[in-house]
Amino acid sequence: QSALTQPASVSGSPGQSITISCTGTSSDVGSYKLVSWYQLHPGEVPKLMIYKDDKRPSGVSDRFSGSKSGNTASLTISGLQAEDEADYYCCSFAGSSTLLFGGGTKLTVL
Amino acid sequence: EVQLVQSGAEVKKPGESLRISCKASTYSLTSKWISWVRQVPGKGLEWMGRIDPSDSYTDYSPSFQGHVSLSVDKSTRTAYLQWSSLKASDTAIYYCARHPWESGNWYFDLWGRGTLVTVSS
């Protein structure tokens, strides 16, 4: 099992929208509606941002949205804010009761 | 406040054994799976495995099968990650994370703060 593929870094200015992609295969991302996204601020507890491809937990800003097309899932952040600067990881069920993470994307708010 | 409280940082030598813990602060541990996730310094997250505290059933990532073991103590609401023989490559932050109680619960709705394990001679 190889890690899901994410861009190493993305950046955007405050107010803009950015999208982080997460590419897997037909054995993981493409087979199940079970992609989740996590936000990691240094020194803080990781936070669930999106689950089951496109569902947003209560308490998470509606500026965050998830989608999927084929073997690629995406996290979109609209109205970028300084506090969105963090590392973001996608994660997918990969069958056989296993999970796969992406390599992580560092978001920089310019 | 619902939290997963992890044990403190550890410094060990190669070949030593170690058990780190993850305690559910308020909720009943048996109701929700616990996974462990590794983050090597400067690297990404890796799923290691999960345990169902109700019956101690486990699933492991092929990458970690045989090298670590997961367990729980329901009486103390604590999950454990254990090594019998550490390697330098085990140096990492280890997070415990809770799965929600619902169908398709292959994601984490609550994380611990992580335990830094340093293995060095």
Side-chain angles (χ1 to χ4, degrees):
Chain A
Q1 292 178 320
S2 299
L4 307 176
T5 301
Q6 296 182 234
S9 63
V10 298
S11 62
S13 300
Q16 287 186 330
S17 293
I18 63 95
T19 296
I20 300 171
S21 62
C22 170
T23 301
T25 70
S26 57
S27 297
D28 38 67
V29 173
S31 281
Y32 310 95
K33 194 175 168 63
L34 288 171
V35 174
S36 53
W37 290 89
Y38 303 92
Q39 178 189 65
L40 273 72
H41 282 116
E44 295 186 11
V45 177
K47 181 181 180 182
L48 173 68
M49 307 305 287
I50 295 289
Y51 67 101
K52 292 185 179 179
D53 290 4
D54 56 13
K55 298 190 185 309
R56 191 172 49 248
S58 60
V60 171
S61 170
D62 59 5
R63 298 185 298 105
F64 291 82
S65 63
S67 63
K68 190 171 75 178
S69 177
N71 299 334
T72 298
S74 298
L75 174 70
T76 297
I77 308 174
S78 59
L80 211 55
Q81 299 179 1
E83 59 260 37
D84 299 332
E85 185 162 294
D87 293 329
Y88 291 86
Y89 288 86
C90 64
C91 183
S92 175
F93 182 68
S96 300
S97 298
T98 61
L99 286 166
L100 272 181
F101 277 99
T105 298
K106 181 176 180 60
L107 169 61
T108 301
V109 181
L110 302 170
Chain B
E1 180 186 0
V2 178
Q3 297 181 68
L4 291 173
V5 181
Q6 295 192 233
S7 50
E10 301 272 3
V11 179
K12 291 289 189 179
K13 290 180 166 42
E16 291 186 332
S17 62
L18 175 66
R19 188 177 76 167
I20 62 174
S21 66
C22 169
K23 183 179 176 67
S25 62
T26 56
Y27 75 95
S28 172
L29 189 71
T30 54
S31 61
K32 302 180 181 183
W33 300 349
I34 293 289
S35 271
W36 289 88
V37 176
R38 182 175 82 172
Q39 185 173 31
V40 172
K43 302 294 185 181
L45 302 177
E46 301 170 272
W47 180 75
M48 302 175 70
R50 68 98 184 173
I51 187 166
D52 182 342
S54 67
D55 59 7
S56 293
Y57 182 84
T58 54
D59 288 303
Y60 291 94
S61 162
S63 300
F64 293 92
Q65 178 87 50
H67 186 54
V68 298
S69 63
L70 308 184
S71 61
V72 296
D73 182 336
K74 289 187 285 188
S75 67
T76 60
R77 301 196 310 275
T78 304
Y80 297 97
L81 170 62
Q82 183 168 337
W83 296 260
S84 58
S85 180
L86 286 160
K87 305 175 183 178
S89 56
D90 292 321
T91 294
I93 297 172
Y94 293 88
Y95 295 98
C96 62
R98 185 185 74 176
H99 296 246
W101 179 248
E102 63 177 40
S103 64
N105 59 341
W106 285 97
Y107 63 97
F108 316 117
D109 65 349
L110 181 68
W111 293 66
R113 287 195 170 273
T115 295
L116 175 62
V117 174
T118 303
V119 184
S120 175
S121 54

